[in-house]
Amino acid sequence: MTGGVVTPHSETAMDAFEKSCYLDMDFTISDQETVQKAVEKLTAFGVGCLLTTDANGKLSGILSERDIIHKVALLDRPREEVKVKEIYSPNPVTVYPDECIDDCMHLMLKKDFRHLPLVARKGDDNVVVGMISIKDCVKTVMDHQEETIQVLRNFAMGKSGTFVCD
């Protein structure tokens, strides 16, 4: 919605990232790091997911709290000895920053995951530029709906001169 004009959800993945807790943190960890270090980072930032990078700094996977809980116990080794690479989920689904937020939500719900890396083209590679959670998507959509309700309320009360719906 722009300037009192009601539009379909035009928010993007980048819009959600810019409001996300991931915006101001380093949400990556080397896939050669220990799970203990990952747990420390997750705890320090109060988040449930980190993106993993290979020796060249490229996206290699995604590590969630669920990966740690479900997979480390099966290895029967202390998390100080287990490498992130042993338990992460490789080759995560990614989206570009201009992807529609509704499409991001649909993708996460359809594929049953809660975090989505944002990548941008840089030469022949995709580089990580952000990460969003399903919670970030829901908040973004709710913010848009609240703005739409306010515009409609103002229009109904005669406080707004512009109302357009595609």
Side-chain angles (χ1 to χ4, degrees):
M1 184 184 70
T2 57
V5 177
V6 178
T7 61
H9 293 157
S10 57
E11 291 85 0
T12 64
M14 185 55 80
D15 293 329
F17 175 63
E18 289 171 351
K19 299 174 190 174
S20 170
C21 66
Y22 291 104
L23 179 64
D24 294 322
M25 67 170 281
D26 176 11
F27 49 83
T28 64
I29 191 163
S30 167
D31 58 17
Q32 296 302 314
E33 196 57 81
T34 65
V35 170
Q36 177 60 34
K37 291 287 185 186
V39 168
E40 291 169 7
K41 194 168 193 176
L42 289 166
T43 303
F45 288 113
V47 295
C49 184
L50 298 171
L51 299 182
T52 64
T53 56
D54 64 17
N56 297 318
K58 294 183 180 179
L59 179 65
S60 60
I62 193 163
L63 179 71
S64 69
E65 292 170 320
R66 289 180 180 183
D67 290 325
I68 294 168
I69 292 168
H70 294 281
K71 297 175 185 176
V72 172
L74 295 175
L75 293 174
D76 197 30
R77 294 182 6 233
R79 62 181 184 228
E80 294 84 5
E81 295 175 12
V82 178
K83 299 289 185 191
V84 166
K85 191 169 189 161
E86 295 178 67
I87 65 165
Y88 76 140
S89 299
N91 306 312
V93 174
T94 62
V95 296
Y96 292 111
D98 61 350
E99 187 75 34
C100 170
I101 200 68
D102 291 332
D103 292 342
C104 293
M105 283 179 46
H106 178 75
L107 180 63
M108 284 192 255
L109 293 171
K110 181 179 176 187
K111 301 281 187 175
D112 196 29
F113 52 78
R114 298 180 297 159
H115 295 86
L116 192 56
L118 310 183
V119 297
R121 294 295 289 164
K122 186 173 184 181
D124 292 336
D125 295 321
N126 281 331
V127 295
V128 174
V129 295
M131 180 166 59
I132 57 174
S133 68
I134 190 70
K135 182 179 175 183
D136 298 325
C137 293
V138 170
K139 282 182 179 179
T140 300
V141 169
M142 287 179 62
D143 287 348
H144 176 83
Q145 289 172 342
E146 288 173 12
E147 290 174 11
T148 300
I149 289 168
Q150 187 61 46
V151 167
L152 293 172
R153 182 178 293 127
N154 288 343
F155 181 74
M157 301 291 287
K159 295 180 182 178
S160 175
T162 307
F163 174 71
V164 177
C165 187
D166 294 329

